[in-house]
Amino acid sequence: MASAANSNLNAVRETMDVLLEISRLLNTGLDMESLSICVRLCEQGINPEALSSVIKELRKASESLKASENSTN
């Protein structure tokens, strides 16, 4: 029983490692935690394209906020 659980856990880790490597090759800028959250959201039925759009918009907003803070300092 414990061996099956360990095997499953190893498979999940290996899958996430592969996804992280693909993410890095595609230059997504996602770290392991962010990628894990995205995978879980997709598993819950969130549309991956919509999720991608939200991430892009959040990055733009963050960059804009940082730029405005830097210009006021």
Short mmCIF file of all heavy atoms in Angstrom, two decimals:
data_model
loop_
_atom_site.label_atom_id
_atom_site.label_comp_id
_atom_site.label_asym_id
_atom_site.label_seq_id
_atom_site.Cartn_x
_atom_site.Cartn_y
_atom_site.Cartn_z
N MET A 1 0.83 -1.19 0.00
CA MET A 1 0.00 0.00 0.00
C MET A 1 0.87 1.25 0.00
O MET A 1 0.67 2.13 -0.80
CB MET A 1 -0.92 -0.05 1.23
CG MET A 1 -2.05 0.90 1.17
SD MET A 1 -3.45 0.21 0.32
CE MET A 1 -4.71 0.87 1.30
N ALA A 2 1.85 1.32 0.91
CA ALA A 2 2.74 2.49 0.99
C ALA A 2 3.58 2.58 -0.27
O ALA A 2 3.89 3.68 -0.73
CB ALA A 2 3.62 2.40 2.22
N SER A 3 3.92 1.45 -0.84
CA SER A 3 4.73 1.44 -2.06
C SER A 3 3.95 2.04 -3.22
O SER A 3 4.51 2.75 -4.06
CB SER A 3 5.19 0.02 -2.34
OG SER A 3 5.12 -0.32 -3.66
N ALA A 4 2.67 1.77 -3.32
CA ALA A 4 1.83 2.35 -4.38
C ALA A 4 1.71 3.85 -4.19
O ALA A 4 1.75 4.61 -5.17
CB ALA A 4 0.46 1.70 -4.38
N ALA A 5 1.57 4.29 -2.96
CA ALA A 5 1.48 5.73 -2.68
C ALA A 5 2.78 6.42 -3.04
O ALA A 5 2.77 7.51 -3.62
CB ALA A 5 1.12 5.96 -1.22
N ASN A 6 3.91 5.80 -2.68
CA ASN A 6 5.22 6.37 -3.02
C ASN A 6 5.41 6.42 -4.53
O ASN A 6 5.95 7.38 -5.07
CB ASN A 6 6.34 5.57 -2.38
CG ASN A 6 6.47 5.83 -0.90
OD1 ASN A 6 6.00 6.85 -0.40
ND2 ASN A 6 7.08 4.90 -0.19
N SER A 7 4.97 5.39 -5.21
CA SER A 7 5.08 5.33 -6.66
C SER A 7 4.26 6.45 -7.30
O SER A 7 4.72 7.11 -8.23
CB SER A 7 4.62 3.97 -7.15
OG SER A 7 4.67 3.92 -8.55
N ASN A 8 3.06 6.64 -6.78
CA ASN A 8 2.19 7.71 -7.30
C ASN A 8 2.79 9.08 -7.04
O ASN A 8 2.79 9.94 -7.91
CB ASN A 8 0.80 7.60 -6.67
CG ASN A 8 -0.19 8.52 -7.32
OD1 ASN A 8 -0.11 8.81 -8.51
ND2 ASN A 8 -1.15 9.00 -6.53
N LEU A 9 3.34 9.28 -5.85
CA LEU A 9 3.97 10.55 -5.49
C LEU A 9 5.17 10.83 -6.39
O LEU A 9 5.36 11.95 -6.86
CB LEU A 9 4.38 10.54 -4.02
CG LEU A 9 4.94 11.84 -3.45
CD1 LEU A 9 3.93 12.96 -3.59
CD2 LEU A 9 5.30 11.64 -1.99
N ASN A 10 5.96 9.80 -6.65
CA ASN A 10 7.11 9.96 -7.54
C ASN A 10 6.67 10.31 -8.95
O ASN A 10 7.31 11.13 -9.61
CB ASN A 10 7.98 8.69 -7.55
CG ASN A 10 8.75 8.52 -6.27
OD1 ASN A 10 9.02 9.48 -5.54
ND2 ASN A 10 9.13 7.29 -5.97
N ALA A 11 5.58 9.71 -9.41
CA ALA A 11 5.07 10.01 -10.74
C ALA A 11 4.59 11.46 -10.82
O ALA A 11 4.85 12.14 -11.82
CB ALA A 11 3.92 9.06 -11.09
N VAL A 12 3.95 11.93 -9.77
CA VAL A 12 3.48 13.33 -9.73
C VAL A 12 4.67 14.28 -9.75
O VAL A 12 4.68 15.26 -10.50
CB VAL A 12 2.59 13.58 -8.50
CG1 VAL A 12 2.32 15.06 -8.31
CG2 VAL A 12 1.28 12.81 -8.62
N ARG A 13 5.69 13.98 -8.96
CA ARG A 13 6.89 14.84 -8.93
C ARG A 13 7.58 14.86 -10.28
O ARG A 13 8.02 15.91 -10.75
CB ARG A 13 7.87 14.34 -7.86
CG ARG A 13 7.44 14.70 -6.47
CD ARG A 13 8.49 14.29 -5.46
NE ARG A 13 8.02 14.60 -4.12
CZ ARG A 13 8.33 13.93 -3.04
NH1 ARG A 13 9.12 12.88 -3.13
NH2 ARG A 13 7.85 14.27 -1.87
N GLU A 14 7.68 13.69 -10.90
CA GLU A 14 8.33 13.62 -12.21
C GLU A 14 7.53 14.41 -13.25
O GLU A 14 8.12 15.13 -14.07
CB GLU A 14 8.46 12.16 -12.64
CG GLU A 14 9.24 12.00 -13.92
CD GLU A 14 9.46 10.53 -14.28
OE1 GLU A 14 9.55 9.68 -13.38
OE2 GLU A 14 9.54 10.27 -15.49
N THR A 15 6.23 14.29 -13.20
CA THR A 15 5.37 15.05 -14.12
C THR A 15 5.55 16.54 -13.93
O THR A 15 5.69 17.29 -14.90
CB THR A 15 3.89 14.66 -13.93
OG1 THR A 15 3.75 13.26 -14.19
CG2 THR A 15 2.99 15.45 -14.85
N MET A 16 5.57 16.98 -12.67
CA MET A 16 5.73 18.41 -12.40
C MET A 16 7.12 18.88 -12.83
O MET A 16 7.26 20.00 -13.34
CB MET A 16 5.49 18.71 -10.92
CG MET A 16 4.03 18.65 -10.51
SD MET A 16 2.92 19.67 -11.53
CE MET A 16 3.59 21.30 -11.25
N ASP A 17 8.14 18.05 -12.66
CA ASP A 17 9.49 18.42 -13.11
C ASP A 17 9.52 18.60 -14.62
O ASP A 17 10.13 19.54 -15.14
CB ASP A 17 10.51 17.37 -12.68
CG ASP A 17 10.81 17.40 -11.20
OD1 ASP A 17 10.50 18.42 -10.54
OD2 ASP A 17 11.36 16.39 -10.68
N VAL A 18 8.85 17.70 -15.33
CA VAL A 18 8.79 17.81 -16.79
C VAL A 18 8.02 19.06 -17.20
O VAL A 18 8.46 19.81 -18.09
CB VAL A 18 8.15 16.54 -17.41
CG1 VAL A 18 7.85 16.74 -18.89
CG2 VAL A 18 9.06 15.34 -17.21
N LEU A 19 6.90 19.32 -16.54
CA LEU A 19 6.12 20.53 -16.85
C LEU A 19 6.92 21.79 -16.56
O LEU A 19 6.86 22.76 -17.32
CB LEU A 19 4.82 20.54 -16.05
CG LEU A 19 3.74 19.57 -16.51
CD1 LEU A 19 2.56 19.58 -15.55
CD2 LEU A 19 3.29 19.88 -17.92
N LEU A 20 7.70 21.78 -15.48
CA LEU A 20 8.52 22.94 -15.15
C LEU A 20 9.59 23.15 -16.22
O LEU A 20 9.86 24.29 -16.62
CB LEU A 20 9.16 22.79 -13.77
CG LEU A 20 9.98 23.98 -13.28
CD1 LEU A 20 9.12 25.24 -13.19
CD2 LEU A 20 10.60 23.68 -11.94
N GLU A 21 10.19 22.08 -16.67
CA GLU A 21 11.20 22.19 -17.73
C GLU A 21 10.59 22.73 -19.02
O GLU A 21 11.17 23.61 -19.67
CB GLU A 21 11.87 20.83 -17.98
CG GLU A 21 13.00 20.89 -18.96
CD GLU A 21 14.16 21.78 -18.52
OE1 GLU A 21 14.38 21.94 -17.31
OE2 GLU A 21 14.84 22.32 -19.41
N ILE A 22 9.41 22.25 -19.38
CA ILE A 22 8.72 22.78 -20.56
C ILE A 22 8.40 24.25 -20.37
O ILE A 22 8.59 25.07 -21.27
CB ILE A 22 7.43 21.97 -20.84
CG1 ILE A 22 7.78 20.56 -21.28
CG2 ILE A 22 6.56 22.67 -21.88
CD1 ILE A 22 6.60 19.61 -21.34
N SER A 23 7.95 24.60 -19.17
CA SER A 23 7.64 25.98 -18.84
C SER A 23 8.87 26.87 -19.01
O SER A 23 8.79 27.98 -19.55
CB SER A 23 7.11 26.06 -17.40
OG SER A 23 6.94 27.38 -16.99
N ARG A 24 10.01 26.39 -18.56
CA ARG A 24 11.26 27.15 -18.69
C ARG A 24 11.68 27.28 -20.14
O ARG A 24 12.13 28.34 -20.58
CB ARG A 24 12.36 26.51 -17.87
CG ARG A 24 12.17 26.72 -16.39
CD ARG A 24 13.28 26.10 -15.57
NE ARG A 24 13.06 26.37 -14.16
CZ ARG A 24 13.45 25.57 -13.19
NH1 ARG A 24 14.09 24.45 -13.47
NH2 ARG A 24 13.21 25.88 -11.94
N LEU A 25 11.54 26.19 -20.91
CA LEU A 25 11.89 26.23 -22.33
C LEU A 25 11.01 27.23 -23.09
O LEU A 25 11.46 27.87 -24.04
CB LEU A 25 11.76 24.84 -22.95
CG LEU A 25 12.80 23.81 -22.53
CD1 LEU A 25 12.43 22.42 -23.04
CD2 LEU A 25 14.19 24.21 -23.02
N LEU A 26 9.76 27.34 -22.66
CA LEU A 26 8.84 28.28 -23.29
C LEU A 26 8.94 29.69 -22.71
O LEU A 26 8.21 30.58 -23.12
CB LEU A 26 7.40 27.76 -23.17
CG LEU A 26 7.10 26.48 -23.93
CD1 LEU A 26 5.70 25.97 -23.59
CD2 LEU A 26 7.26 26.69 -25.42
N ASN A 27 9.82 29.85 -21.74
CA ASN A 27 10.05 31.16 -21.14
C ASN A 27 8.79 31.77 -20.51
O ASN A 27 8.50 32.95 -20.69
CB ASN A 27 10.62 32.11 -22.20
CG ASN A 27 11.88 32.76 -21.76
OD1 ASN A 27 12.42 32.45 -20.71
ND2 ASN A 27 12.37 33.67 -22.59
N THR A 28 8.04 30.95 -19.77
CA THR A 28 6.80 31.44 -19.18
C THR A 28 7.01 32.31 -17.96
O THR A 28 6.14 33.09 -17.60
CB THR A 28 5.89 30.26 -18.76
OG1 THR A 28 6.53 29.53 -17.72
CG2 THR A 28 5.57 29.36 -19.94
N GLY A 29 8.15 32.13 -17.29
CA GLY A 29 8.40 32.89 -16.08
C GLY A 29 7.70 32.32 -14.86
O GLY A 29 7.71 32.95 -13.79
N LEU A 30 7.10 31.15 -14.98
CA LEU A 30 6.42 30.54 -13.85
C LEU A 30 7.40 29.72 -13.02
O LEU A 30 8.20 28.97 -13.57
CB LEU A 30 5.29 29.62 -14.33
CG LEU A 30 4.14 30.28 -15.08
CD1 LEU A 30 3.20 29.22 -15.61
CD2 LEU A 30 3.40 31.25 -14.18
N ASP A 31 7.33 29.87 -11.70
CA ASP A 31 8.12 29.01 -10.83
C ASP A 31 7.30 27.76 -10.50
O ASP A 31 6.16 27.63 -10.96
CB ASP A 31 8.54 29.76 -9.56
CG ASP A 31 7.35 30.27 -8.74
OD1 ASP A 31 6.20 29.89 -9.02
OD2 ASP A 31 7.59 31.05 -7.81
N MET A 32 7.88 26.86 -9.75
CA MET A 32 7.20 25.59 -9.46
C MET A 32 5.88 25.81 -8.74
O MET A 32 4.88 25.17 -9.06
CB MET A 32 8.11 24.68 -8.62
CG MET A 32 7.48 23.33 -8.29
SD MET A 32 7.09 22.32 -9.71
CE MET A 32 8.58 21.38 -9.87
N GLU A 33 5.84 26.73 -7.80
CA GLU A 33 4.61 26.97 -7.05
C GLU A 33 3.51 27.52 -7.97
O GLU A 33 2.37 27.05 -7.94
CB GLU A 33 4.86 27.94 -5.89
CG GLU A 33 3.62 28.20 -5.06
CD GLU A 33 3.87 29.17 -3.92
OE1 GLU A 33 4.96 29.77 -3.84
OE2 GLU A 33 2.94 29.33 -3.11
N SER A 34 3.86 28.50 -8.79
CA SER A 34 2.88 29.09 -9.71
C SER A 34 2.40 28.06 -10.72
O SER A 34 1.21 27.99 -11.03
CB SER A 34 3.49 30.28 -10.45
OG SER A 34 3.89 31.27 -9.54
N LEU A 35 3.32 27.27 -11.22
CA LEU A 35 2.96 26.23 -12.19
C LEU A 35 2.03 25.21 -11.54
O LEU A 35 1.03 24.79 -12.15
CB LEU A 35 4.21 25.55 -12.72
CG LEU A 35 4.00 24.50 -13.80
CD1 LEU A 35 3.34 25.11 -15.04
CD2 LEU A 35 5.33 23.87 -14.18
N SER A 36 2.31 24.82 -10.31
CA SER A 36 1.46 23.87 -9.59
C SER A 36 0.05 24.42 -9.42
O SER A 36 -0.94 23.70 -9.59
CB SER A 36 2.05 23.54 -8.22
OG SER A 36 3.26 22.88 -8.34
N ILE A 37 -0.04 25.69 -9.09
CA ILE A 37 -1.36 26.32 -8.94
C ILE A 37 -2.10 26.30 -10.27
O ILE A 37 -3.30 25.98 -10.32
CB ILE A 37 -1.21 27.76 -8.40
CG1 ILE A 37 -0.71 27.73 -6.95
CG2 ILE A 37 -2.53 28.52 -8.50
CD1 ILE A 37 -0.26 29.07 -6.42
N CYS A 38 -1.41 26.63 -11.35
CA CYS A 38 -2.04 26.62 -12.67
C CYS A 38 -2.53 25.22 -13.05
O CYS A 38 -3.64 25.07 -13.57
CB CYS A 38 -1.06 27.14 -13.73
SG CYS A 38 -0.72 28.89 -13.61
N VAL A 39 -1.71 24.21 -12.77
CA VAL A 39 -2.10 22.84 -13.08
C VAL A 39 -3.34 22.46 -12.28
O VAL A 39 -4.30 21.89 -12.82
CB VAL A 39 -0.94 21.86 -12.80
CG1 VAL A 39 -1.41 20.41 -12.83
CG2 VAL A 39 0.18 22.08 -13.80
N ARG A 40 -3.35 22.79 -10.98
CA ARG A 40 -4.51 22.47 -10.16
C ARG A 40 -5.77 23.17 -10.65
O ARG A 40 -6.85 22.59 -10.66
CB ARG A 40 -4.25 22.81 -8.69
CG ARG A 40 -3.42 21.73 -8.00
CD ARG A 40 -3.27 21.97 -6.53
NE ARG A 40 -1.92 22.55 -6.36
CZ ARG A 40 -1.60 23.52 -5.54
NH1 ARG A 40 -2.50 24.05 -4.76
NH2 ARG A 40 -0.37 23.97 -5.48
N LEU A 41 -5.62 24.43 -11.05
CA LEU A 41 -6.78 25.16 -11.57
C LEU A 41 -7.31 24.51 -12.85
O LEU A 41 -8.52 24.37 -13.02
CB LEU A 41 -6.42 26.63 -11.83
CG LEU A 41 -6.25 27.49 -10.58
CD1 LEU A 41 -5.65 28.85 -10.95
CD2 LEU A 41 -7.59 27.67 -9.88
N CYS A 42 -6.40 24.10 -13.72
CA CYS A 42 -6.82 23.42 -14.95
C CYS A 42 -7.49 22.09 -14.64
O CYS A 42 -8.49 21.72 -15.28
CB CYS A 42 -5.64 23.22 -15.88
SG CYS A 42 -5.02 24.76 -16.61
N GLU A 43 -6.97 21.38 -13.65
CA GLU A 43 -7.59 20.12 -13.25
C GLU A 43 -8.99 20.34 -12.69
O GLU A 43 -9.85 19.46 -12.77
CB GLU A 43 -6.73 19.40 -12.20
CG GLU A 43 -5.47 18.79 -12.78
CD GLU A 43 -4.55 18.23 -11.72
OE1 GLU A 43 -4.70 18.56 -10.52
OE2 GLU A 43 -3.66 17.44 -12.09
N GLN A 44 -9.23 21.52 -12.13
CA GLN A 44 -10.55 21.86 -11.58
C GLN A 44 -11.51 22.37 -12.65
O GLN A 44 -12.65 22.68 -12.35
CB GLN A 44 -10.41 22.91 -10.47
CG GLN A 44 -9.67 22.44 -9.25
CD GLN A 44 -10.41 21.35 -8.52
OE1 GLN A 44 -11.62 21.39 -8.37
NE2 GLN A 44 -9.69 20.34 -8.07
N GLY A 45 -11.02 22.47 -13.89
CA GLY A 45 -11.90 22.85 -14.99
C GLY A 45 -11.73 24.26 -15.51
O GLY A 45 -12.48 24.69 -16.40
N ILE A 46 -10.77 25.00 -14.98
CA ILE A 46 -10.52 26.35 -15.49
C ILE A 46 -9.98 26.26 -16.91
O ILE A 46 -9.13 25.43 -17.20
CB ILE A 46 -9.52 27.11 -14.59
CG1 ILE A 46 -10.05 27.24 -13.16
CG2 ILE A 46 -9.14 28.46 -15.16
CD1 ILE A 46 -11.31 28.07 -13.05
N ASN A 47 -10.46 27.11 -17.79
CA ASN A 47 -10.00 27.14 -19.17
C ASN A 47 -8.54 27.61 -19.20
O ASN A 47 -8.23 28.72 -18.74
CB ASN A 47 -10.89 28.10 -19.97
CG ASN A 47 -10.50 28.19 -21.41
OD1 ASN A 47 -9.34 28.15 -21.78
ND2 ASN A 47 -11.52 28.34 -22.25
N PRO A 48 -7.62 26.81 -19.76
CA PRO A 48 -6.20 27.18 -19.77
C PRO A 48 -5.92 28.49 -20.52
O PRO A 48 -5.05 29.26 -20.11
CB PRO A 48 -5.52 26.00 -20.47
CG PRO A 48 -6.47 24.88 -20.35
CD PRO A 48 -7.83 25.47 -20.30
N GLU A 49 -6.65 28.74 -21.59
CA GLU A 49 -6.44 29.99 -22.34
C GLU A 49 -6.88 31.19 -21.51
O GLU A 49 -6.22 32.23 -21.53
CB GLU A 49 -7.19 29.94 -23.66
CG GLU A 49 -6.58 28.94 -24.64
CD GLU A 49 -7.33 28.87 -25.95
OE1 GLU A 49 -8.01 29.85 -26.32
OE2 GLU A 49 -7.22 27.83 -26.61
N ALA A 50 -7.97 31.05 -20.80
CA ALA A 50 -8.44 32.13 -19.94
C ALA A 50 -7.44 32.37 -18.81
O ALA A 50 -7.15 33.52 -18.47
CB ALA A 50 -9.82 31.81 -19.38
N LEU A 51 -6.92 31.30 -18.25
CA LEU A 51 -5.92 31.41 -17.19
C LEU A 51 -4.68 32.12 -17.69
O LEU A 51 -4.14 33.01 -17.03
CB LEU A 51 -5.57 30.02 -16.65
CG LEU A 51 -4.59 29.94 -15.50
CD1 LEU A 51 -5.05 30.76 -14.31
CD2 LEU A 51 -4.37 28.48 -15.11
N SER A 52 -4.25 31.77 -18.89
CA SER A 52 -3.10 32.42 -19.50
C SER A 52 -3.34 33.92 -19.68
O SER A 52 -2.47 34.74 -19.40
CB SER A 52 -2.81 31.77 -20.85
OG SER A 52 -1.83 32.47 -21.56
N SER A 53 -4.53 34.27 -20.13
CA SER A 53 -4.87 35.69 -20.31
C SER A 53 -4.84 36.45 -19.00
O SER A 53 -4.34 37.57 -18.93
CB SER A 53 -6.25 35.82 -20.96
OG SER A 53 -6.24 35.30 -22.26
N VAL A 54 -5.36 35.82 -17.96
CA VAL A 54 -5.36 36.46 -16.64
C VAL A 54 -3.94 36.68 -16.15
O VAL A 54 -3.59 37.76 -15.64
CB VAL A 54 -6.18 35.63 -15.62
CG1 VAL A 54 -5.96 36.12 -14.20
CG2 VAL A 54 -7.65 35.65 -15.98
N ILE A 55 -3.08 35.69 -16.32
CA ILE A 55 -1.69 35.82 -15.88
C ILE A 55 -1.00 36.94 -16.64
O ILE A 55 -0.29 37.77 -16.04
CB ILE A 55 -0.93 34.47 -16.07
CG1 ILE A 55 -1.46 33.45 -15.07
CG2 ILE A 55 0.57 34.67 -15.90
CD1 ILE A 55 -0.98 32.04 -15.32
N LYS A 56 -1.22 37.02 -17.94
CA LYS A 56 -0.61 38.09 -18.75
C LYS A 56 -1.09 39.46 -18.30
O LYS A 56 -0.30 40.40 -18.18
CB LYS A 56 -0.94 37.88 -20.23
CG LYS A 56 -0.20 36.73 -20.86
CD LYS A 56 -0.64 36.54 -22.30
CE LYS A 56 -0.03 35.32 -22.92
NZ LYS A 56 -0.53 35.08 -24.29
N GLU A 57 -2.39 39.58 -18.04
CA GLU A 57 -2.94 40.86 -17.59
C GLU A 57 -2.40 41.25 -16.22
O GLU A 57 -2.10 42.42 -15.97
CB GLU A 57 -4.47 40.81 -17.57
CG GLU A 57 -5.11 40.80 -18.94
CD GLU A 57 -4.77 42.03 -19.76
OE1 GLU A 57 -4.80 43.15 -19.23
OE2 GLU A 57 -4.47 41.85 -20.96
N LEU A 58 -2.27 40.28 -15.33
CA LEU A 58 -1.71 40.57 -14.01
C LEU A 58 -0.26 41.02 -14.10
O LEU A 58 0.17 41.93 -13.40
CB LEU A 58 -1.82 39.35 -13.09
CG LEU A 58 -3.22 39.01 -12.59
CD1 LEU A 58 -3.22 37.66 -11.88
CD2 LEU A 58 -3.75 40.11 -11.69
N ARG A 59 0.49 40.41 -15.00
CA ARG A 59 1.88 40.82 -15.19
C ARG A 59 1.96 42.24 -15.74
O ARG A 59 2.79 43.03 -15.31
CB ARG A 59 2.61 39.85 -16.12
CG ARG A 59 2.95 38.56 -15.44
CD ARG A 59 3.69 37.63 -16.35
NE ARG A 59 4.08 36.42 -15.63
CZ ARG A 59 4.48 35.32 -16.20
NH1 ARG A 59 4.57 35.25 -17.51
NH2 ARG A 59 4.82 34.28 -15.48
N LYS A 60 1.11 42.56 -16.71
CA LYS A 60 1.09 43.91 -17.27
C LYS A 60 0.75 44.93 -16.18
O LYS A 60 1.36 45.99 -16.09
CB LYS A 60 0.08 44.01 -18.40
CG LYS A 60 0.51 43.39 -19.69
CD LYS A 60 -0.57 43.54 -20.75
CE LYS A 60 -0.24 42.75 -21.99
NZ LYS A 60 -1.34 42.81 -22.98
N ALA A 61 -0.26 44.62 -15.39
CA ALA A 61 -0.67 45.53 -14.32
C ALA A 61 0.45 45.70 -13.31
O ALA A 61 0.70 46.82 -12.83
CB ALA A 61 -1.94 45.01 -13.64
N SER A 62 1.13 44.62 -12.99
CA SER A 62 2.23 44.68 -12.03
C SER A 62 3.37 45.53 -12.58
O SER A 62 3.94 46.37 -11.86
CB SER A 62 2.73 43.26 -11.73
OG SER A 62 3.85 43.30 -10.89
N GLU A 63 3.72 45.33 -13.84
CA GLU A 63 4.78 46.13 -14.46
C GLU A 63 4.41 47.60 -14.51
O GLU A 63 5.24 48.48 -14.24
CB GLU A 63 5.08 45.61 -15.87
CG GLU A 63 5.78 44.28 -15.89
CD GLU A 63 5.91 43.70 -17.28
OE1 GLU A 63 5.67 44.43 -18.27
OE2 GLU A 63 6.24 42.50 -17.38
N SER A 64 3.16 47.88 -14.83
CA SER A 64 2.68 49.26 -14.88
C SER A 64 2.75 49.92 -13.50
O SER A 64 3.18 51.07 -13.38
CB SER A 64 1.25 49.28 -15.40
OG SER A 64 0.73 50.58 -15.38
N LEU A 65 2.35 49.18 -12.49
CA LEU A 65 2.39 49.70 -11.12
C LEU A 65 3.83 49.97 -10.69
O LEU A 65 4.13 51.03 -10.11
CB LEU A 65 1.73 48.71 -10.17
CG LEU A 65 1.59 49.12 -8.71
CD1 LEU A 65 0.80 50.41 -8.60
CD2 LEU A 65 0.95 48.03 -7.91
N LYS A 66 4.73 49.03 -11.01
CA LYS A 66 6.14 49.22 -10.65
C LYS A 66 6.71 50.43 -11.37
O LYS A 66 7.48 51.21 -10.80
CB LYS A 66 6.95 47.98 -10.99
CG LYS A 66 6.72 46.83 -10.06
CD LYS A 66 7.51 45.60 -10.48
CE LYS A 66 7.20 44.41 -9.60
NZ LYS A 66 7.88 43.21 -10.07
N ALA A 67 6.36 50.60 -12.63
CA ALA A 67 6.87 51.74 -13.42
C ALA A 67 6.37 53.05 -12.83
O ALA A 67 7.12 54.02 -12.72
CB ALA A 67 6.44 51.61 -14.88
N SER A 68 5.10 53.10 -12.42
CA SER A 68 4.56 54.32 -11.86
C SER A 68 5.18 54.62 -10.49
O SER A 68 5.41 55.78 -10.14
CB SER A 68 3.04 54.27 -11.76
OG SER A 68 2.62 53.33 -10.81
N GLU A 69 5.48 53.58 -9.72
CA GLU A 69 6.14 53.78 -8.43
C GLU A 69 7.56 54.29 -8.62
O GLU A 69 8.02 55.15 -7.87
CB GLU A 69 6.15 52.47 -7.62
CG GLU A 69 4.83 52.09 -7.05
CD GLU A 69 4.87 50.76 -6.31
OE1 GLU A 69 5.92 50.08 -6.34
OE2 GLU A 69 3.85 50.41 -5.70
N ASN A 70 8.25 53.77 -9.63
CA ASN A 70 9.62 54.20 -9.89
C ASN A 70 9.67 55.64 -10.41
O ASN A 70 10.61 56.36 -10.11
CB ASN A 70 10.29 53.27 -10.92
CG ASN A 70 10.64 51.93 -10.30
OD1 ASN A 70 10.75 51.80 -9.09
ND2 ASN A 70 10.81 50.93 -11.15
N SER A 71 8.66 56.05 -11.15
CA SER A 71 8.67 57.42 -11.67
C SER A 71 8.35 58.46 -10.59
O SER A 71 8.71 59.62 -10.71
CB SER A 71 7.68 57.55 -12.83
OG SER A 71 6.35 57.40 -12.39
N THR A 72 7.67 58.03 -9.53
CA THR A 72 7.35 58.96 -8.45
C THR A 72 8.48 59.05 -7.43
O THR A 72 8.48 59.94 -6.60
CB THR A 72 6.03 58.57 -7.74
OG1 THR A 72 6.16 57.26 -7.20
CG2 THR A 72 4.86 58.66 -8.68
N ASN A 73 9.40 58.11 -7.48
CA ASN A 73 10.51 58.13 -6.50
C ASN A 73 11.66 58.89 -7.01
O ASN A 73 12.24 59.16 -7.80
CB ASN A 73 10.95 56.70 -6.15
CG ASN A 73 9.91 56.01 -5.27
OD1 ASN A 73 9.15 56.66 -4.60
ND2 ASN A 73 9.90 54.70 -5.32
#
